Amino acid sequence: MTELQIAYPPELPVSQRRDEIAAAIRDHQVVIVAGETGSGKTTQLPKICLELGRGPGSGGGIIGHTQPRRIAARAVAERIASELGTELGDLVGYQVRFTDRTSRKSRVKLMTDGILLAELQRDRQLRRYDTIIIDEAHERSLNIDFLLGYLKRLLPRRPDLKLIITSATIDVDRFARHFDAPVVEVSGRTYPVEVRYRPLMELPEDGRQEVDGEGEAVVRDQTEAIVDAVTELSAEGPGDVLVFLPGEREIRDTADALRDLDGLDRRGSLEILPLYSRLSAAEQHRVFSSHGSATRRVVLATNVAETSLTVPGIRYVVDTGVARISRYSVRTKVQRLPIEPISRASADQRSGRCGRVEAGIAIRLYSEEDFDSRPEFTDPEILRTNLASVILQMASLGLGDIARFPFVEPPDRRNVQSGVQLLEELGALATAGEVRAQRGVGPRLTKIGRRLARLPIDPRLARMILEAERLGCVREVIVIAAALSLQDPRERPGADHPKEQAQADQLHARFKAEGSDFLTSLNLWRYLKEQQKELSSSAFRRMCKREFLHYLRVREWQDFESQL
């Protein structure tokens, strides 16, 4: 332990405040560290904790460090390990779904918040940890809100446990009030950012936009608007461009359109790189690697680059102003993932990505009036999601009535009732009458409910699996349930590629089962299994690409099926 050499990059704002942060951690059980993305919170806090003697390992507890996304858990673990001069998986490891790169020697463990949540089932006092860092708490995912509520109850029973919550400078006071904890502000390194508004629809009278035959304003296509913005920024001088898009498909379409631009940039070639959660480690590394000055890099990212990851060298940002935001409808009982306008706080996070290296320019593909009319913050997930799985986990952990649980922001009563009702229909919870008859408090799990709580999947799909076991078709239903939990591995090119679209439809038609999408999934699964037996792994990967199947999603489907 004495050989560990800890150094702090002097250019990071956190390094300048490390004595103040260390003193706050020493003197308080809970500390909130607030600062812009890029200030070094995520990578330097575990090192400050190690220097304080936290996370001694070997039975004395380790430092647990949660991230909202797998891609961030992996990237951060690699970064901290390299800064400490150790191998990944040795002193610093990470665990995400399907991958565990930790060892007995690990003192810092990066993980998704879902992994820590799953560990509660086996270790309710979290005895394995002496320090927990909940990173990116401003994202207010369901997992983060549940963990914060659980830890608020646990801390009085574990006075030795330290909790550090990090957040971008978004609604920090709410966390401070909830835990009655001090806030250490770490300002990010910021240069001025010029914001330009280039809405998809310009008014005809401003003279910049074409009008059609009837004098109507011409609305540009989003991809076309991005190409225009990148062209505009290319004239501004050197520096990389970060473009925010709602999903993988939009990233692919935009990449195709930008490739036609290559050669128009007077300073050299364009390098177009995607960045989203499902990327392989090798492809993700390309985004963080350095490149020659003759190349301008354009990174096409989902909102994973908003706060979770800092992409180096960005001088320009193009913000489409939209993201996929999960919403549950109490009326239709369906969880959807619509593309919606982002909040003002998210838009400011996005434009702030380009003021890290030097003065930057952010182009927003919407109007200033549109920006001003948006809500200040994104609704926390707990206010817009189906709560059945959270209620199930709470009942499994014996946490009592959900209405009394110390959430940072309590969920809507109708959503709670809807979740309880669904679990009662699935036979997972005893009905209110049965609980009263047995003088219980809060929801009580049935035998089926206890089994459902152990399956890492939506309770409705888990119930299908249990019923399939009774009916003798569990192998097939596990494949179908896994498919319903993940994105479809079949890829269908956009309407601007009619030839490839027809080819994909023809190839996918081979798996079609008359009258059942479920059996179609099963046919595809069997075909993939046969091909995998016959082909080498690289030939199988090539076959997936040729037949319009997304290799990484296929792998995820197979991993999830084996986990179930």
Side-chain angles (χ1 to χ4, degrees), residues 26 29 83 99 113 117 151 169 218 265 295 311 337 363-364 368 398 429 453 523 528 560:
R26 215 177 15 245
Q29 192 175 12
E83 286 189 15
T99 311
D113 30 41
L117 216 49
L151 287 163
T169 49
V218 175
D265 192 322
T295 303
V311 182
L337 202 60
I363 291 183
R364 291 177 174 164
E368 194 165 1
L429 289 184
N523 291 341
L528 289 166
F560 196 19

Side-chain angles (χ1 to χ4, degrees), residues 239-243 297-299 310-317 353-360:
D240 295 344
V241 186
L242 175 60
V243 182
R297 183 174 281 171
V298 180
V299 179
T310 302
V311 182
I314 296 299
R315 214 186 133 199
Y316 307 108
V317 161
R353 298 305 88 230
C354 64
R356 300 273 160 241
V357 196
E358 52 187 304

Side-chain angles (χ1 to χ4, degrees), residues 281-334:
E283 288 193 295
Q284 181 201 325
H285 280 140
R286 288 176 62 202
V287 174
F288 300 103
S289 64
S290 55
H291 61 88
S293 57
T295 303
R296 186 190 299 278
R297 183 174 281 171
V298 180
V299 179
L300 306 176
T302 57
N303 54 359
V304 69
E306 210 172 279
T307 55
S308 284
L309 296 168
T310 302
V311 182
I314 296 299
R315 214 186 133 199
Y316 307 108
V317 161
V318 179
D319 175 17
T320 56
V322 289
R324 286 197 180 275
I325 296 172
S326 175
R327 285 206 183 272
Y328 178 68
S329 162
V330 176
R331 193 176 55 79
T332 60
K333 294 186 165 48
V334 172

